[in-house]
Amino acid sequence: MTKVYVPRDMAALAVGAKRVLAAIEKEAAARGETIQIIRNGSRGLLWLEPLVEVETPEGRIGYGNVKPSDVPSLFDAGFLKGGAHPLSIGKVEDHPYWAKQTRVTFERVGIIDPVNLDDYVAHGGGQGLAKAFEIGPAKVIEEVTKSGLRGRGGAGFPAGIKWKTVADAPADRRYVVTNADEGDSGTFADRMVMEGDPFVLIEGMTICGYAIGASKGFIYLRAEYPQCAEVLTEALEAARKGGWLGPNVRGSGFAFDIELRIGAGAYVCGEETSLLESLEGHRGIVRAKPPLPAHVGFMGRPTVVNNVLTLATAPAILAKGGEYYASFGVGRSRGTMPLQIAGNVKFGGLYETPFGLTLGEIVNDIGGGTLSGRPVRAVQCGGPLGAYVPPSLFDTPFDYEAFQKHDSLIGHGGLVVFDDTVDMAQMARFGMEFCAIESCGKCTPCRIGSTRGVETIDKIVEGVDVEANIELLSDLCNTMKFGSLCALGGFAPYPVESALRHYPEDFRKATLPAAAE
């Protein structure tokens, strides 16, 4: 029976994958063809979605941008045997966008049936957990520390140190919390893992729980990801039935279970202390630190709060060893990073690669430059609170420290590309407005500063006392940066300051005619 893969990933569904699936089933029935449909995740070649694949003796042949109206011609061309068709991209593994990647965290995403535990095991799943049980909790933390894995949510804190801190904290119980409140614009890696390989997250959380002595974990998922919730629910149920969760995980004697919690859609709940407040049933507002969640977290107990990608990488580190993972990357940025390339770009999608590629290589060589064909003017790195980087800095290596030297962040690995028609004063205003809307309101610099920031940028754009207001805006940014309680207020100045620094002409447009006269 021929296997046909039609993604159930949200990006594919958004461009008609469900209608394509119905058309394939209808056409196959009409022609008397027997096929097996597998709802895989996305490979990350998002500009080709819906990407339908057919398993052949030569490998999986892909057909990109399939519409329901294309289906009859695909059958006519013999696509069930990998037949030639204008939409064919050949073997997906041979496509340059795929072939040049180093897939570690995303090793199985787009390949397997995401809710089939047997398929997960057949593709190497479970080896990390088996190794963890073999070497014991202390050695697990050693391997994670040796790997150099840093939190992929944006802060870049070493995961091994966080796990050890929680493991060493005296307590009657500890917790593992996955921060799946992925809310940055242009980011989708967490979603892709949860929709394409949810068992790797479950395995990673179980490894973490075993290492720190926790018996309970939570996945805090943003409400805007209903497809994720559906897949995760199926996967958690399959994991319990298969003995991967419960009182005796895989016959080890270790008890661990995971509960899925849905957030209410507040951006600030991506900040770990707000997340914990929300998880406990309170309004999502930040907590002052210290104490750190590693000492006083969920319900006052030591808690590991890690991003999806961080925990989903743990199984590969345990299975292949910390040194293997650390062999990738540059400087203190070890391992691989799933880049999320979005915005005005030809080849938008997910690309996992070791740290160290330059920003220019990512935007121009991998992303193919702008979709509009116009010159790139700016790339925002690290979400809506990330800095805007001009092409003059495209030789900057993509790693934590190199970006910090330019007062930028790599954040969660999101990159949003803009062409030369973008107005950077308006983008700076958007950054402040975003902060004003999403602020939890607890601290004054964030709550009041962001609103005053919007008003000040409006005055600058209108040409009101421009130089004095630019100086005021810079001073305001400095106050927010160092006076806010959490990263929302503390990072909101990054887009504003970078726009002022690299695109000063956009803030002085209103004064130009008068100056010319």
Side-chain angles (χ1 to χ4, degrees), residues 8 39 113-117 194 198-199 202 226-241 260:
R8 64 184 296 186
R39 304 304 307 279
D113 179 344
V115 293
N116 186 322
L117 203 45
M194 291 185 284
F199 291 124
I202 293 170
Q227 184 66 14
C228 264
E230 184 180 312
V231 176
L232 282 171
T233 300
E234 288 181 47
L236 288 169
E237 188 176 338
R240 290 190 191 99
K241 284 182 180 174
L260 176 64

PDB file of all heavy atoms in Angstrom, residues 8 39 113-117 194 198-199 202 226-241 260:
ATOM      1  N   ARG A   8      -0.204  17.796   8.906  1.00  0.00           N
ATOM      2  CA  ARG A   8      -1.271  18.345   9.758  1.00  0.00           C
ATOM      3  C   ARG A   8      -0.745  19.545  10.531  1.00  0.00           C
ATOM      4  O   ARG A   8      -1.382  20.021  11.467  1.00  0.00           O
ATOM      5  CB  ARG A   8      -1.800  17.279  10.714  1.00  0.00           C
ATOM      6  CG  ARG A   8      -0.796  16.766  11.712  1.00  0.00           C
ATOM      7  CD  ARG A   8      -1.342  15.631  12.577  1.00  0.00           C
ATOM      8  NE  ARG A   8      -2.454  16.043  13.426  1.00  0.00           N
ATOM      9  CZ  ARG A   8      -3.020  15.254  14.349  1.00  0.00           C
ATOM     10  NH1 ARG A   8      -2.573  14.023  14.531  1.00  0.00           N
ATOM     11  NH2 ARG A   8      -4.026  15.669  15.085  1.00  0.00           N
ATOM     12  N   ARG A  39      -0.517  11.682   8.460  1.00  0.00           N
ATOM     13  CA  ARG A  39      -0.541  13.121   8.737  1.00  0.00           C
ATOM     14  C   ARG A  39       0.736  13.488   9.494  1.00  0.00           C
ATOM     15  O   ARG A  39       0.793  13.446  10.719  1.00  0.00           O
ATOM     16  CB  ARG A  39      -1.779  13.496   9.559  1.00  0.00           C
ATOM     17  CG  ARG A  39      -3.103  13.090   8.931  1.00  0.00           C
ATOM     18  CD  ARG A  39      -3.312  13.646   7.527  1.00  0.00           C
ATOM     19  NE  ARG A  39      -3.145  15.080   7.438  1.00  0.00           N
ATOM     20  CZ  ARG A  39      -4.084  15.967   7.777  1.00  0.00           C
ATOM     21  NH1 ARG A  39      -5.236  15.551   8.241  1.00  0.00           N
ATOM     22  NH2 ARG A  39      -3.852  17.258   7.638  1.00  0.00           N
ATOM     23  N   ASP A 113       4.948   9.971  11.782  1.00  0.00           N
ATOM     24  CA  ASP A 113       3.579  10.232  12.223  1.00  0.00           C
ATOM     25  C   ASP A 113       3.691  10.732  13.662  1.00  0.00           C
ATOM     26  O   ASP A 113       4.115   9.983  14.555  1.00  0.00           O
ATOM     27  CB  ASP A 113       2.769   8.930  12.163  1.00  0.00           C
ATOM     28  CG  ASP A 113       1.333   9.117  12.640  1.00  0.00           C
ATOM     29  OD1 ASP A 113       1.035  10.142  13.290  1.00  0.00           O
ATOM     30  OD2 ASP A 113       0.518   8.223  12.376  1.00  0.00           O
ATOM     31  N   PRO A 114       3.337  11.967  13.940  1.00  0.00           N
ATOM     32  CA  PRO A 114       3.624  12.554  15.260  1.00  0.00           C
ATOM     33  C   PRO A 114       2.918  11.902  16.437  1.00  0.00           C
ATOM     34  O   PRO A 114       3.362  12.075  17.577  1.00  0.00           O
ATOM     35  CB  PRO A 114       3.187  14.022  15.096  1.00  0.00           C
ATOM     36  CG  PRO A 114       2.309  14.057  13.906  1.00  0.00           C
ATOM     37  CD  PRO A 114       2.729  12.932  13.021  1.00  0.00           C
ATOM     38  N   VAL A 115       1.857  11.156  16.216  1.00  0.00           N
ATOM     39  CA  VAL A 115       1.148  10.558  17.353  1.00  0.00           C
ATOM     40  C   VAL A 115       1.275   9.039  17.363  1.00  0.00           C
ATOM     41  O   VAL A 115       0.541   8.360  18.081  1.00  0.00           O
ATOM     42  CB  VAL A 115      -0.353  10.975  17.366  1.00  0.00           C
ATOM     43  CG1 VAL A 115      -0.460  12.461  17.644  1.00  0.00           C
ATOM     44  CG2 VAL A 115      -1.048  10.623  16.062  1.00  0.00           C
ATOM     45  N   ASN A 116       2.209   8.514  16.588  1.00  0.00           N
ATOM     46  CA  ASN A 116       2.426   7.069  16.543  1.00  0.00           C
ATOM     47  C   ASN A 116       3.718   6.738  17.293  1.00  0.00           C
ATOM     48  O   ASN A 116       4.819   6.988  16.802  1.00  0.00           O
ATOM     49  CB  ASN A 116       2.519   6.611  15.083  1.00  0.00           C
ATOM     50  CG  ASN A 116       2.600   5.090  14.961  1.00  0.00           C
ATOM     51  OD1 ASN A 116       3.245   4.424  15.769  1.00  0.00           O
ATOM     52  ND2 ASN A 116       1.938   4.556  13.949  1.00  0.00           N
ATOM     53  N   LEU A 117       3.569   6.174  18.483  1.00  0.00           N
ATOM     54  CA  LEU A 117       4.722   5.892  19.338  1.00  0.00           C
ATOM     55  C   LEU A 117       5.671   4.882  18.692  1.00  0.00           C
ATOM     56  O   LEU A 117       6.903   4.999  18.831  1.00  0.00           O
ATOM     57  CB  LEU A 117       4.227   5.370  20.702  1.00  0.00           C
ATOM     58  CG  LEU A 117       5.136   5.509  21.932  1.00  0.00           C
ATOM     59  CD1 LEU A 117       5.781   6.887  22.023  1.00  0.00           C
ATOM     60  CD2 LEU A 117       4.338   5.200  23.179  1.00  0.00           C
ATOM     61  N   MET A 194       6.056  20.596  18.567  1.00  0.00           N
ATOM     62  CA  MET A 194       4.896  20.019  19.259  1.00  0.00           C
ATOM     63  C   MET A 194       3.904  19.389  18.278  1.00  0.00           C
ATOM     64  O   MET A 194       3.236  18.422  18.611  1.00  0.00           O
ATOM     65  CB  MET A 194       4.217  21.099  20.104  1.00  0.00           C
ATOM     66  CG  MET A 194       5.065  21.543  21.291  1.00  0.00           C
ATOM     67  SD  MET A 194       4.230  22.699  22.372  1.00  0.00           S
ATOM     68  CE  MET A 194       4.325  24.225  21.426  1.00  0.00           C
ATOM     69  N   PRO A 198       5.861  15.450  18.996  1.00  0.00           N
ATOM     70  CA  PRO A 198       5.561  15.756  20.407  1.00  0.00           C
ATOM     71  C   PRO A 198       6.216  14.791  21.389  1.00  0.00           C
ATOM     72  O   PRO A 198       6.489  15.170  22.526  1.00  0.00           O
ATOM     73  CB  PRO A 198       4.028  15.653  20.477  1.00  0.00           C
ATOM     74  CG  PRO A 198       3.658  14.757  19.338  1.00  0.00           C
ATOM     75  CD  PRO A 198       4.651  15.035  18.257  1.00  0.00           C
ATOM     76  N   PHE A 199       6.496  13.564  20.947  1.00  0.00           N
ATOM     77  CA  PHE A 199       7.103  12.600  21.878  1.00  0.00           C
ATOM     78  C   PHE A 199       8.514  13.027  22.297  1.00  0.00           C
ATOM     79  O   PHE A 199       8.971  12.675  23.382  1.00  0.00           O
ATOM     80  CB  PHE A 199       7.153  11.206  21.252  1.00  0.00           C
ATOM     81  CG  PHE A 199       5.792  10.584  21.075  1.00  0.00           C
ATOM     82  CD1 PHE A 199       5.375  10.154  19.829  1.00  0.00           C
ATOM     83  CD2 PHE A 199       4.925  10.444  22.149  1.00  0.00           C
ATOM     84  CE1 PHE A 199       4.121   9.585  19.658  1.00  0.00           C
ATOM     85  CE2 PHE A 199       3.657   9.878  21.983  1.00  0.00           C
ATOM     86  CZ  PHE A 199       3.257   9.450  20.734  1.00  0.00           C
ATOM     87  N   ILE A 202       7.990  15.151  25.252  1.00  0.00           N
ATOM     88  CA  ILE A 202       7.598  14.311  26.394  1.00  0.00           C
ATOM     89  C   ILE A 202       8.827  13.575  26.935  1.00  0.00           C
ATOM     90  O   ILE A 202       9.045  13.520  28.157  1.00  0.00           O
ATOM     91  CB  ILE A 202       6.494  13.318  25.956  1.00  0.00           C
ATOM     92  CG1 ILE A 202       5.211  14.076  25.622  1.00  0.00           C
ATOM     93  CG2 ILE A 202       6.256  12.265  27.034  1.00  0.00           C
ATOM     94  CD1 ILE A 202       4.144  13.239  24.952  1.00  0.00           C
ATOM     95  N   PRO A 226      -4.279  25.926  18.829  1.00  0.00           N
ATOM     96  CA  PRO A 226      -5.237  24.821  19.044  1.00  0.00           C
ATOM     97  C   PRO A 226      -4.789  23.516  18.385  1.00  0.00           C
ATOM     98  O   PRO A 226      -5.074  22.432  18.910  1.00  0.00           O
ATOM     99  CB  PRO A 226      -6.527  25.359  18.405  1.00  0.00           C
ATOM    100  CG  PRO A 226      -6.073  26.381  17.410  1.00  0.00           C
ATOM    101  CD  PRO A 226      -4.853  27.004  18.019  1.00  0.00           C
ATOM    102  N   GLN A 227      -4.101  23.612  17.257  1.00  0.00           N
ATOM    103  CA  GLN A 227      -3.644  22.396  16.590  1.00  0.00           C
ATOM    104  C   GLN A 227      -2.595  21.678  17.446  1.00  0.00           C
ATOM    105  O   GLN A 227      -2.570  20.461  17.544  1.00  0.00           O
ATOM    106  CB  GLN A 227      -3.065  22.742  15.208  1.00  0.00           C
ATOM    107  CG  GLN A 227      -2.640  21.552  14.375  1.00  0.00           C
ATOM    108  CD  GLN A 227      -3.804  20.661  13.963  1.00  0.00           C
ATOM    109  OE1 GLN A 227      -4.968  21.055  14.079  1.00  0.00           O
ATOM    110  NE2 GLN A 227      -3.506  19.469  13.519  1.00  0.00           N
ATOM    111  N   CYS A 228      -1.731  22.480  18.074  1.00  0.00           N
ATOM    112  CA  CYS A 228      -0.742  21.921  19.000  1.00  0.00           C
ATOM    113  C   CYS A 228      -1.433  21.182  20.141  1.00  0.00           C
ATOM    114  O   CYS A 228      -1.023  20.082  20.522  1.00  0.00           O
ATOM    115  CB  CYS A 228       0.084  23.044  19.630  1.00  0.00           C
ATOM    116  SG  CYS A 228       1.621  23.373  18.820  1.00  0.00           S
ATOM    117  N   ALA A 229      -2.454  21.815  20.687  1.00  0.00           N
ATOM    118  CA  ALA A 229      -3.168  21.210  21.817  1.00  0.00           C
ATOM    119  C   ALA A 229      -3.747  19.865  21.421  1.00  0.00           C
ATOM    120  O   ALA A 229      -3.701  18.894  22.191  1.00  0.00           O
ATOM    121  CB  ALA A 229      -4.268  22.152  22.300  1.00  0.00           C
ATOM    122  N   GLU A 230      -4.275  19.798  20.211  1.00  0.00           N
ATOM    123  CA  GLU A 230      -4.881  18.553  19.720  1.00  0.00           C
ATOM    124  C   GLU A 230      -3.832  17.446  19.599  1.00  0.00           C
ATOM    125  O   GLU A 230      -4.033  16.324  20.073  1.00  0.00           O
ATOM    126  CB  GLU A 230      -5.533  18.833  18.360  1.00  0.00           C
ATOM    127  CG  GLU A 230      -6.287  17.674  17.770  1.00  0.00           C
ATOM    128  CD  GLU A 230      -6.901  18.047  16.425  1.00  0.00           C
ATOM    129  OE1 GLU A 230      -7.540  19.111  16.319  1.00  0.00           O
ATOM    130  OE2 GLU A 230      -6.717  17.277  15.462  1.00  0.00           O
ATOM    131  N   VAL A 231      -2.695  17.792  18.989  1.00  0.00           N
ATOM    132  CA  VAL A 231      -1.640  16.787  18.798  1.00  0.00           C
ATOM    133  C   VAL A 231      -1.043  16.373  20.137  1.00  0.00           C
ATOM    134  O   VAL A 231      -0.820  15.184  20.392  1.00  0.00           O
ATOM    135  CB  VAL A 231      -0.536  17.340  17.850  1.00  0.00           C
ATOM    136  CG1 VAL A 231       0.606  16.345  17.727  1.00  0.00           C
ATOM    137  CG2 VAL A 231      -1.119  17.658  16.477  1.00  0.00           C
ATOM    138  N   LEU A 232      -0.774  17.360  21.000  1.00  0.00           N
ATOM    139  CA  LEU A 232      -0.189  17.041  22.306  1.00  0.00           C
ATOM    140  C   LEU A 232      -1.114  16.151  23.140  1.00  0.00           C
ATOM    141  O   LEU A 232      -0.661  15.223  23.818  1.00  0.00           O
ATOM    142  CB  LEU A 232       0.115  18.329  23.078  1.00  0.00           C
ATOM    143  CG  LEU A 232       1.373  19.091  22.663  1.00  0.00           C
ATOM    144  CD1 LEU A 232       1.412  20.459  23.354  1.00  0.00           C
ATOM    145  CD2 LEU A 232       2.638  18.306  23.002  1.00  0.00           C
ATOM    146  N   THR A 233      -2.393  16.440  23.085  1.00  0.00           N
ATOM    147  CA  THR A 233      -3.355  15.627  23.842  1.00  0.00           C
ATOM    148  C   THR A 233      -3.312  14.174  23.372  1.00  0.00           C
ATOM    149  O   THR A 233      -3.293  13.238  24.179  1.00  0.00           O
ATOM    150  CB  THR A 233      -4.776  16.205  23.684  1.00  0.00           C
ATOM    151  OG1 THR A 233      -4.788  17.548  24.191  1.00  0.00           O
ATOM    152  CG2 THR A 233      -5.796  15.380  24.437  1.00  0.00           C
ATOM    153  N   GLU A 234      -3.293  13.981  22.056  1.00  0.00           N
ATOM    154  CA  GLU A 234      -3.211  12.614  21.506  1.00  0.00           C
ATOM    155  C   GLU A 234      -1.904  11.945  21.916  1.00  0.00           C
ATOM    156  O   GLU A 234      -1.866  10.766  22.279  1.00  0.00           O
ATOM    157  CB  GLU A 234      -3.304  12.655  19.973  1.00  0.00           C
ATOM    158  CG  GLU A 234      -4.668  12.993  19.418  1.00  0.00           C
ATOM    159  CD  GLU A 234      -4.681  12.994  17.894  1.00  0.00           C
ATOM    160  OE1 GLU A 234      -4.155  12.045  17.287  1.00  0.00           O
ATOM    161  OE2 GLU A 234      -5.197  13.964  17.303  1.00  0.00           O
ATOM    162  N   ALA A 235      -0.806  12.721  21.838  1.00  0.00           N
ATOM    163  CA  ALA A 235       0.511  12.146  22.147  1.00  0.00           C
ATOM    164  C   ALA A 235       0.632  11.792  23.631  1.00  0.00           C
ATOM    165  O   ALA A 235       1.176  10.740  23.979  1.00  0.00           O
ATOM    166  CB  ALA A 235       1.609  13.143  21.755  1.00  0.00           C
ATOM    167  N   LEU A 236       0.118  12.644  24.511  1.00  0.00           N
ATOM    168  CA  LEU A 236       0.184  12.355  25.944  1.00  0.00           C
ATOM    169  C   LEU A 236      -0.623  11.103  26.286  1.00  0.00           C
ATOM    170  O   LEU A 236      -0.201  10.269  27.092  1.00  0.00           O
ATOM    171  CB  LEU A 236      -0.333  13.562  26.747  1.00  0.00           C
ATOM    172  CG  LEU A 236       0.590  14.790  26.787  1.00  0.00           C
ATOM    173  CD1 LEU A 236      -0.132  15.999  27.368  1.00  0.00           C
ATOM    174  CD2 LEU A 236       1.845  14.487  27.608  1.00  0.00           C
ATOM    175  N   GLU A 237      -1.774  10.970  25.634  1.00  0.00           N
ATOM    176  CA  GLU A 237      -2.600   9.782  25.867  1.00  0.00           C
ATOM    177  C   GLU A 237      -1.870   8.526  25.388  1.00  0.00           C
ATOM    178  O   GLU A 237      -1.844   7.501  26.069  1.00  0.00           O
ATOM    179  CB  GLU A 237      -3.928   9.940  25.118  1.00  0.00           C
ATOM    180  CG  GLU A 237      -4.929   8.859  25.449  1.00  0.00           C
ATOM    181  CD  GLU A 237      -6.281   9.089  24.773  1.00  0.00           C
ATOM    182  OE1 GLU A 237      -6.584  10.239  24.405  1.00  0.00           O
ATOM    183  OE2 GLU A 237      -7.005   8.107  24.611  1.00  0.00           O
ATOM    184  N   ALA A 238      -1.236   8.629  24.210  1.00  0.00           N
ATOM    185  CA  ALA A 238      -0.492   7.479  23.674  1.00  0.00           C
ATOM    186  C   ALA A 238       0.699   7.141  24.572  1.00  0.00           C
ATOM    187  O   ALA A 238       1.012   5.962  24.789  1.00  0.00           O
ATOM    188  CB  ALA A 238      -0.005   7.797  22.259  1.00  0.00           C
ATOM    189  N   ALA A 239       1.346   8.170  25.121  1.00  0.00           N
ATOM    190  CA  ALA A 239       2.499   7.938  26.002  1.00  0.00           C
ATOM    191  C   ALA A 239       2.073   7.227  27.285  1.00  0.00           C
ATOM    192  O   ALA A 239       2.777   6.345  27.783  1.00  0.00           O
ATOM    193  CB  ALA A 239       3.174   9.270  26.331  1.00  0.00           C
ATOM    194  N   ARG A 240       0.922   7.598  27.814  1.00  0.00           N
ATOM    195  CA  ARG A 240       0.429   6.922  29.037  1.00  0.00           C
ATOM    196  C   ARG A 240       0.074   5.475  28.733  1.00  0.00           C
ATOM    197  O   ARG A 240       0.437   4.561  29.484  1.00  0.00           O
ATOM    198  CB  ARG A 240      -0.785   7.663  29.591  1.00  0.00           C
ATOM    199  CG  ARG A 240      -0.435   9.016  30.188  1.00  0.00           C
ATOM    200  CD  ARG A 240      -1.604   9.643  30.949  1.00  0.00           C
ATOM    201  NE  ARG A 240      -1.276  11.033  31.265  1.00  0.00           N
ATOM    202  CZ  ARG A 240      -1.695  12.081  30.568  1.00  0.00           C
ATOM    203  NH1 ARG A 240      -2.505  11.911  29.529  1.00  0.00           N
ATOM    204  NH2 ARG A 240      -1.333  13.294  30.899  1.00  0.00           N
ATOM    205  N   LYS A 241      -0.610   5.266  27.610  1.00  0.00           N
ATOM    206  CA  LYS A 241      -0.996   3.890  27.246  1.00  0.00           C
ATOM    207  C   LYS A 241       0.235   3.029  26.982  1.00  0.00           C
ATOM    208  O   LYS A 241       0.243   1.834  27.266  1.00  0.00           O
ATOM    209  CB  LYS A 241      -1.889   3.914  26.003  1.00  0.00           C
ATOM    210  CG  LYS A 241      -3.313   4.362  26.272  1.00  0.00           C
ATOM    211  CD  LYS A 241      -4.153   4.310  25.005  1.00  0.00           C
ATOM    212  CE  LYS A 241      -5.589   4.749  25.278  1.00  0.00           C
ATOM    213  NZ  LYS A 241      -6.378   4.851  24.030  1.00  0.00           N
ATOM    214  N   LEU A 260      -1.168  19.047  30.436  1.00  0.00           N
ATOM    215  CA  LEU A 260      -1.211  20.147  29.462  1.00  0.00           C
ATOM    216  C   LEU A 260      -2.115  21.248  29.989  1.00  0.00           C
ATOM    217  O   LEU A 260      -3.277  21.006  30.325  1.00  0.00           O
ATOM    218  CB  LEU A 260      -1.748  19.627  28.117  1.00  0.00           C
ATOM    219  CG  LEU A 260      -1.955  20.659  27.006  1.00  0.00           C
ATOM    220  CD1 LEU A 260      -0.634  21.296  26.589  1.00  0.00           C
ATOM    221  CD2 LEU A 260      -2.635  20.008  25.787  1.00  0.00           C
TER     222      LEU A 260
END
